[in-house]
Amino acid sequence: MRYDIRNQLVTRDGQVTVEIDAPAPPGTDAEFAGNVTGRITLRNVGGEIAAWGRLQATVLMKCARCLEVHEVPLSFDFTESCAFEQIDEPLAYTQIADDEEPSTIPILDGEVVDLSELVRQLLVLHVPARSVCRADCPGLCSHCGARLASSSCECEQETIDPRLAPLRKLLQ
Ligand SMILES: [Zn+2]
Ligand SMILES: [Zn+2]
């Protein structure tokens, strides 16, 4: 996600908008289907580079109930503060934390503007912690582990040991 736009941003109020259409950067701890797309506007606001725009991506998530991998579309607006600082991968990868003080995001790789760290942090923030393949996913049979949505297991008729009933409730 490298863009030769530094010259347009070095003076105060310099502004440029770029189209994003590239694979998700590494380090998101998630798998994506297809490219990250969208639009990011950068503006020199004096001392910092303000970045805002809209991104779309499709993340592959495991269903929290039946473990089936399914696509979850993401689409979000954002506003962030960036800075002309070098992306230092090992540092940047540990820098993000939900409850951390907001810090500026580095966007320089050599002399070239590289938006991958910005996009990576945004994706990390917006990938849901948990997802189900469909709202009424019945999950897995607690006896045989079959996916109840796509297979009929033989366990349905069994009576549940009352001592295990609360556990079964938890698993549903
Ligand atoms: Zn499911
Ligand atoms: Zn079963």
Side-chain angles (χ1 to χ4, degrees):
M1 296 185 178
R2 293 157 59 87
Y3 299 85
D4 192 11
I5 52 174
R6 189 179 185 180
N7 286 344
Q8 295 163 75
L9 291 169
V10 285
T11 52
R12 184 163 182 140
D13 296 328
Q15 180 174 320
V16 62
T17 298
V18 294
E19 302 287 334
I20 305 289
D21 189 356
T28 57
D29 209 20
E31 225 184 302
F32 293 86
N35 281 354
V36 181
T37 60
R39 181 175 288 196
I40 296 178
T41 300
L42 301 157
R43 183 182 179 90
N44 184 327
V45 292
E48 286 181 4
I49 306 294
W52 67 92
R54 182 172 191 82
L55 290 177
Q56 292 92 34
T58 302
V59 63
L60 295 172
M61 303 266 318
K62 252 187 199 159
C63 175
R65 292 184 199 147
C66 75
L67 307 181
E68 176 118 310
V69 174
H70 58 286
E71 297 188 347
V72 179
L74 307 178
S75 182
F76 54 87
D77 296 307
F78 67 89
T79 305
E80 290 286 350
S81 295
C82 301
F84 278 140
E85 289 164 10
Q86 295 295 323
I87 297 173
D88 173 13
E89 290 198 5
L91 256 189
Y93 278 22
T94 56
Q95 159 181 330
I96 192 165
D98 285 346
D99 52 353
E100 218 176 65
E101 289 292 299
S103 59
T104 54
I105 299 169
I107 55 168
L108 270 191
D109 181 7
E111 289 299 302
V112 179
V113 172
D114 185 342
L115 299 179
S116 57
E117 175 57 17
L118 169 64
V119 171
R120 187 192 70 81
Q121 292 200 14
L122 289 167
L123 291 175
V124 168
L125 279 175
H126 287 89
V127 168
R130 180 181 187 279
S131 165
V132 289
C133 63
R134 58 182 219 212
D136 63 346
C137 172
L140 301 175
C141 171
S142 54
H143 282 265
C144 70
R147 260 192 90 228
L148 296 174
S150 60
S151 63
S152 53
C153 71
E154 311 282 306
C155 314
E156 295 292 345
Q157 310 305 327
E158 279 184 30
T159 45
I160 305 294
D161 183 334
R163 287 167 300 174
L164 294 178
L167 178 65
R168 183 178 166 88
K169 215 170 189 180
L170 280 178
L171 291 169
Q172 272 169 349

